[in-house]
Amino acid sequence: MTTSAQAAICYGRDKPFAIEAVTLDDPRADEVLVRIVACGICHTDMAVRDAQLPTPLPAILGHEGAGIVERVGSGVNHVKPGDRVIMSFNSCGHCPSCDIDKPTYCYNFVPENWIGTRTDGSHTTHQGNAGVNANFFGQSAFATFALGHARNVVKVPDSAADVPLATLAPLGCGLMTGAGAVLRSMNVRSGMPIAIFGAGAVGLGAIMAAKIAGANPIIAVDVHDSRLALARELGATHTINGKTDDAAYQIRALCPQGLGYAFDTTGINKIIEQAFDLLAPLGIVGIVGASSRADSLTFNEASFMGGGKRVMGILGGDSDLVTFLPDLIQHHLAGRFPHEKLIKTFPFDQINEAFHAGESGAVVKPVLVMPS
Ligand SMILES: [Zn+2]
Ligand SMILES: [Zn+2]
């Protein structure tokens, strides 16, 4: 038996998403069929649409899904039909990174998430007899149903029964990345200064987490005043518009001893190198922004070594889904992680409008809501 669904097919940069009928396989032993209720839109979806990642097009994208479990494979025990779940990235569970609960650095990340099929090359999704590229981040949740896996489907705790799935959906990627970078990767110390470059979903997630960690001051740098206002509302103690002000000069004035932490979400190498120059001894510059594959960074060796400084590449905020997503939900319930302020919902059939709103900067975190 298969499951019929409506899915938004991505045909590439210059073509709109088209909502079409597809069929999904029955879940295999380690798979979970989820009726999708909502799915966030993230910059990685845009990067795939623009052919910057290896996922072959056309494909069903969407990797911040949330919904209700419909059916589970014979080997899945941690969720059951009817459970409310969040979906995130997939991982193999048997490599040196997965072995130490650092699945964002899974040695098999690309085949588990980005090749359009299961790791054995089979399609999860079809149109007639033809396979459709899916299994994106082990889900492909721009659809009314998605096939996830035991390792990337996380049960929503009962304490969050009243929180809408449209609010919970975007926790599984960008917000988790920003918050995890601060709380897990860099493990920000209370009372230490941090500057966050870029106040999109990832940067704002980092600002909320920096407040939770007790960082001080928390300096947000962006080029949009509306985002800086939101940054202030969410915990930034100081904001700098990098377009009109000299950010480095202002940060030096605020933190004459240097920054304990700098967090870059822009991927702009000039900003990263400048952030490195602003570090205090033992300072860390954490990098999540994607640069061009051809780019390299340049640092002064004496300053790097002599100051015991660290340049840290970060993927997914070093998140271990099983522990960190429930942690974030608890922070949300306690009012410490009010990420609902970033969200605007769109009906599924307005996916093209929702992408536009995300790219123009009008909305920080567009979330699609599926028809019930
Ligand atoms: Zn792995
Ligand atoms: Zn994402």
Side-chain angles (χ1 to χ4, degrees), residues 42 55 57 65 67 75 85 90 94 121 134 167 210 225 229 237 248 276 340 356:
C42 166
T55 307
L57 299 178
V85 292
N90 200 21
H94 53 71
T167 305
D225 284 330
T237 57
F276 175 84
E340 74 282 357
H356 182 71

Side-chain angles (χ1 to χ4, degrees), residues 5 29 63 100 104 107 110-111 120 129 144 160 174 200 220 257 288 312 318 343 352:
H63 62 285
I100 56 164
T104 62
Y107 283 35
V110 170
D120 69 3
N129 291 324
T144 54
Q257 293 187 298
V288 297
M312 184 184 280
D318 285 41
I343 293 174
N352 291 302

Side-chain angles (χ1 to χ4, degrees), residues 73-91:
S74 57
V76 175
N77 303 310
H78 73 299
V79 292
K80 59 180 188 312
D83 282 351
R84 301 169 88 230
V85 292
I86 309 180
M87 306 176 84
S88 187
F89 66 93
N90 200 21
S91 56

Side-chain angles (χ1 to χ4, degrees), residues 44 47-48 50-56 114 136-137 293:
T44 308
V48 174
D50 301 346
Q52 292 164 3
L53 286 169
T55 307
W114 284 349
F136 181 58
F137 279 85
R293 286 187 178 274

Side-chain angles (χ1 to χ4, degrees), residues 92-95 98 106-108:
C92 77
H94 53 71
C95 71
C98 287
C106 176
Y107 283 35
N108 299 301

Side-chain angles (χ1 to χ4, degrees), residues 2 21-25 125-132:
T2 55
V22 297
T23 54
L24 275 69
D25 286 358
T125 306
H126 295 81
Q127 284 184 317
N129 291 324
V132 179

